[in-house]
Amino acid sequence: MSIKIDKYSLIITLLFLLLLPACKSKRELVVLPADFKGPNELSALYGFRLTPNDNIYLYNEGSKWLGVPYRYGGSTKLGVDCSAFVVVIYREIYGKQLARTTADMLKHNCKKVSRSKLEEGDLVFFNTGGGSRKNPNHVGIYLKNGHFIHASTSRGVMVSSLSEPYYLRSWVTGGRVK
């Protein structure tokens, strides 16, 4: 079988191929990991709608940790505590190194923010029992619509609502990472 190509088509194709590198876009090609989930899949997973304005990378990274068991002092997917979870997510998503303990995160890495001014990626601090009410011992990452992701001692990494009575009672402050 032979293919006939007229010389005009061949010339146009060659010119196109020669000029193609000159028309290169300034955008870089972004290769997404194989386990990267889209907004619809993440919306179903988190139980609220995600939009193009949301940090899809934050939600994707968080989704990889959902269900990981709590382990005091742990910092891997075999088991993680609340502050290590926040440290890992912040390093991966924002490229920032945070203090390892909850109290030190608030003291050294954050500017206090009221609950009504929380934005996606802000930290949320709680005192879940014992000690001074102003000294937090639990931390999570605010998502949106009153939801935050954290490593719970009873259920591992999960999404909770700030309006749950337990978190209303134990609320200390929000924190915007400097």
Short mmCIF file of all heavy atoms in Angstrom, two decimals, residues 34-61:
data_model
loop_
_atom_site.label_atom_id
_atom_site.label_comp_id
_atom_site.label_asym_id
_atom_site.label_seq_id
_atom_site.Cartn_x
_atom_site.Cartn_y
_atom_site.Cartn_z
N ALA A 34 0.13 9.75 39.71
CA ALA A 34 -0.92 8.80 39.34
C ALA A 34 -2.07 8.77 40.35
O ALA A 34 -3.21 8.51 39.99
CB ALA A 34 -0.32 7.41 39.19
N ASP A 35 -1.77 9.06 41.61
CA ASP A 35 -2.82 9.01 42.65
C ASP A 35 -3.50 10.37 42.86
O ASP A 35 -4.23 10.55 43.83
CB ASP A 35 -2.27 8.47 43.96
CG ASP A 35 -1.12 9.30 44.51
OD1 ASP A 35 -0.66 10.23 43.84
OD2 ASP A 35 -0.68 9.00 45.64
N PHE A 36 -3.29 11.32 41.96
CA PHE A 36 -3.90 12.64 42.07
C PHE A 36 -5.39 12.54 41.75
O PHE A 36 -5.78 11.99 40.73
CB PHE A 36 -3.21 13.62 41.11
CG PHE A 36 -3.50 15.06 41.40
CD1 PHE A 36 -2.77 15.75 42.35
CD2 PHE A 36 -4.50 15.74 40.72
CE1 PHE A 36 -3.02 17.08 42.62
CE2 PHE A 36 -4.76 17.07 40.98
CZ PHE A 36 -4.01 17.74 41.93
N LYS A 37 -6.22 13.05 42.65
CA LYS A 37 -7.66 12.97 42.47
C LYS A 37 -8.20 14.31 41.99
O LYS A 37 -7.69 15.36 42.35
CB LYS A 37 -8.33 12.61 43.80
CG LYS A 37 -7.95 11.25 44.33
CD LYS A 37 -8.50 11.04 45.73
CE LYS A 37 -8.12 9.71 46.31
NZ LYS A 37 -6.72 9.56 46.60
N GLY A 38 -9.27 14.27 41.22
CA GLY A 38 -9.91 15.47 40.71
C GLY A 38 -10.89 16.04 41.73
O GLY A 38 -11.22 15.39 42.73
N PRO A 39 -11.39 17.27 41.47
CA PRO A 39 -12.31 17.92 42.41
C PRO A 39 -13.57 17.12 42.72
O PRO A 39 -14.03 17.10 43.85
CB PRO A 39 -12.67 19.24 41.71
CG PRO A 39 -11.57 19.47 40.74
CD PRO A 39 -11.06 18.12 40.34
N ASN A 40 -14.14 16.43 41.72
CA ASN A 40 -15.36 15.66 41.97
C ASN A 40 -15.11 14.49 42.92
O ASN A 40 -15.88 14.24 43.84
CB ASN A 40 -15.98 15.17 40.66
CG ASN A 40 -16.52 16.31 39.83
OD1 ASN A 40 -16.80 17.39 40.35
ND2 ASN A 40 -16.65 16.08 38.54
N GLU A 41 -14.02 13.78 42.68
CA GLU A 41 -13.67 12.64 43.54
C GLU A 41 -13.35 13.12 44.96
O GLU A 41 -13.79 12.52 45.94
CB GLU A 41 -12.47 11.91 42.94
CG GLU A 41 -12.17 10.59 43.60
CD GLU A 41 -11.02 9.85 42.94
OE1 GLU A 41 -10.50 10.30 41.90
OE2 GLU A 41 -10.63 8.81 43.49
N LEU A 42 -12.63 14.23 45.06
CA LEU A 42 -12.30 14.77 46.38
C LEU A 42 -13.53 15.31 47.10
O LEU A 42 -13.67 15.16 48.31
CB LEU A 42 -11.23 15.86 46.25
CG LEU A 42 -9.83 15.36 45.89
CD1 LEU A 42 -8.93 16.52 45.50
CD2 LEU A 42 -9.23 14.56 47.03
N SER A 43 -14.44 15.94 46.35
CA SER A 43 -15.68 16.44 46.95
C SER A 43 -16.46 15.31 47.59
O SER A 43 -16.96 15.43 48.71
CB SER A 43 -16.56 17.12 45.90
OG SER A 43 -15.94 18.30 45.42
N ALA A 44 -16.55 14.18 46.90
CA ALA A 44 -17.25 13.01 47.44
C ALA A 44 -16.54 12.48 48.67
O ALA A 44 -17.18 12.11 49.67
CB ALA A 44 -17.35 11.93 46.37
N LEU A 45 -15.22 12.47 48.63
CA LEU A 45 -14.43 11.95 49.75
C LEU A 45 -14.56 12.83 51.00
O LEU A 45 -14.72 12.33 52.11
CB LEU A 45 -12.97 11.87 49.32
CG LEU A 45 -11.98 11.18 50.25
CD1 LEU A 45 -12.35 9.72 50.45
CD2 LEU A 45 -10.58 11.28 49.68
N TYR A 46 -14.51 14.13 50.82
CA TYR A 46 -14.56 15.06 51.95
C TYR A 46 -15.98 15.39 52.41
O TYR A 46 -16.18 15.88 53.51
CB TYR A 46 -13.80 16.35 51.61
CG TYR A 46 -12.31 16.21 51.74
CD1 TYR A 46 -11.52 15.90 50.64
CD2 TYR A 46 -11.68 16.38 52.96
CE1 TYR A 46 -10.14 15.77 50.75
CE2 TYR A 46 -10.31 16.25 53.09
CZ TYR A 46 -9.54 15.94 51.98
OH TYR A 46 -8.18 15.82 52.10
N GLY A 47 -16.95 15.19 51.54
CA GLY A 47 -18.33 15.45 51.91
C GLY A 47 -18.78 16.89 51.72
O GLY A 47 -19.82 17.29 52.23
N PHE A 48 -18.00 17.68 51.00
CA PHE A 48 -18.41 19.04 50.64
C PHE A 48 -17.78 19.37 49.29
O PHE A 48 -16.79 18.78 48.89
CB PHE A 48 -18.06 20.08 51.71
CG PHE A 48 -16.64 20.02 52.22
CD1 PHE A 48 -15.61 20.66 51.55
CD2 PHE A 48 -16.34 19.33 53.39
CE1 PHE A 48 -14.30 20.61 52.03
CE2 PHE A 48 -15.04 19.28 53.87
CZ PHE A 48 -14.03 19.92 53.19
N ARG A 49 -18.41 20.32 48.60
CA ARG A 49 -18.02 20.65 47.23
C ARG A 49 -16.72 21.45 47.18
O ARG A 49 -16.57 22.45 47.88
CB ARG A 49 -19.14 21.44 46.57
CG ARG A 49 -18.92 21.68 45.09
CD ARG A 49 -20.15 22.31 44.45
NE ARG A 49 -19.89 22.63 43.06
CZ ARG A 49 -19.34 23.78 42.66
NH1 ARG A 49 -19.04 24.71 43.52
NH2 ARG A 49 -19.13 24.00 41.37
N LEU A 50 -15.80 21.00 46.33
CA LEU A 50 -14.57 21.74 46.08
C LEU A 50 -14.73 22.50 44.76
O LEU A 50 -15.40 22.04 43.85
CB LEU A 50 -13.38 20.80 46.00
CG LEU A 50 -13.08 20.03 47.29
CD1 LEU A 50 -11.93 19.06 47.08
CD2 LEU A 50 -12.77 20.98 48.41
N THR A 51 -14.10 23.66 44.70
CA THR A 51 -14.19 24.49 43.50
C THR A 51 -12.78 24.76 42.98
O THR A 51 -11.79 24.46 43.67
CB THR A 51 -14.86 25.85 43.84
OG1 THR A 51 -13.95 26.62 44.65
CG2 THR A 51 -16.18 25.66 44.57
N PRO A 52 -12.65 25.37 41.81
CA PRO A 52 -11.32 25.72 41.29
C PRO A 52 -10.55 26.68 42.20
O PRO A 52 -9.34 26.79 42.11
CB PRO A 52 -11.62 26.37 39.94
CG PRO A 52 -12.94 25.78 39.53
CD PRO A 52 -13.70 25.60 40.81
N ASN A 53 -11.25 27.38 43.09
CA ASN A 53 -10.58 28.30 44.01
C ASN A 53 -9.92 27.58 45.19
O ASN A 53 -9.14 28.18 45.91
CB ASN A 53 -11.57 29.34 44.55
CG ASN A 53 -12.08 30.24 43.44
OD1 ASN A 53 -11.37 30.53 42.49
ND2 ASN A 53 -13.32 30.66 43.56
N ASP A 54 -10.27 26.33 45.41
CA ASP A 54 -9.70 25.57 46.53
C ASP A 54 -8.31 25.04 46.17
O ASP A 54 -8.01 24.80 45.00
CB ASP A 54 -10.62 24.41 46.90
CG ASP A 54 -11.97 24.88 47.41
OD1 ASP A 54 -11.99 25.84 48.21
OD2 ASP A 54 -13.00 24.31 47.01
N ASN A 55 -7.50 24.86 47.19
CA ASN A 55 -6.15 24.32 46.99
C ASN A 55 -6.25 22.80 46.81
O ASN A 55 -6.20 22.05 47.78
CB ASN A 55 -5.25 24.68 48.17
CG ASN A 55 -3.83 24.22 47.98
OD1 ASN A 55 -3.54 23.35 47.15
ND2 ASN A 55 -2.92 24.79 48.75
N ILE A 56 -6.39 22.37 45.57
CA ILE A 56 -6.60 20.96 45.27
C ILE A 56 -5.44 20.11 45.76
O ILE A 56 -5.61 18.94 46.10
CB ILE A 56 -6.90 20.78 43.76
CG1 ILE A 56 -7.59 19.45 43.50
CG2 ILE A 56 -5.66 20.91 42.93
CD1 ILE A 56 -9.05 19.47 43.81
N TYR A 57 -4.25 20.70 45.81
CA TYR A 57 -3.07 19.95 46.28
C TYR A 57 -3.19 19.64 47.78
O TYR A 57 -2.83 18.55 48.21
CB TYR A 57 -1.78 20.74 45.99
CG TYR A 57 -1.57 20.93 44.51
CD1 TYR A 57 -1.87 22.14 43.90
CD2 TYR A 57 -1.09 19.90 43.72
CE1 TYR A 57 -1.70 22.31 42.54
CE2 TYR A 57 -0.91 20.06 42.35
CZ TYR A 57 -1.22 21.26 41.77
OH TYR A 57 -1.05 21.43 40.41
N LEU A 58 -3.71 20.58 48.55
CA LEU A 58 -3.93 20.35 49.98
C LEU A 58 -4.92 19.20 50.18
O LEU A 58 -4.68 18.28 50.97
CB LEU A 58 -4.45 21.62 50.64
CG LEU A 58 -4.92 21.50 52.10
CD1 LEU A 58 -3.78 21.07 53.01
CD2 LEU A 58 -5.53 22.82 52.57
N TYR A 59 -6.02 19.23 49.46
CA TYR A 59 -7.04 18.19 49.60
C TYR A 59 -6.51 16.83 49.13
O TYR A 59 -6.82 15.80 49.71
CB TYR A 59 -8.31 18.57 48.86
CG TYR A 59 -9.02 19.72 49.53
CD1 TYR A 59 -8.78 21.04 49.15
CD2 TYR A 59 -9.90 19.50 50.58
CE1 TYR A 59 -9.41 22.10 49.78
CE2 TYR A 59 -10.54 20.55 51.22
CZ TYR A 59 -10.28 21.85 50.81
OH TYR A 59 -10.90 22.89 51.45
N ASN A 60 -5.73 16.83 48.06
CA ASN A 60 -5.14 15.58 47.58
C ASN A 60 -4.20 14.98 48.61
O ASN A 60 -4.26 13.79 48.91
CB ASN A 60 -4.41 15.80 46.26
CG ASN A 60 -5.18 15.29 45.08
OD1 ASN A 60 -5.32 14.09 44.90
ND2 ASN A 60 -5.73 16.20 44.31
N GLU A 61 -3.31 15.80 49.14
CA GLU A 61 -2.34 15.29 50.12
C GLU A 61 -3.07 14.80 51.37
O GLU A 61 -2.76 13.74 51.91
CB GLU A 61 -1.31 16.36 50.47
CG GLU A 61 -0.16 15.85 51.31
CD GLU A 61 0.68 14.77 50.65
OE1 GLU A 61 0.77 14.73 49.42
OE2 GLU A 61 1.25 13.94 51.39
#
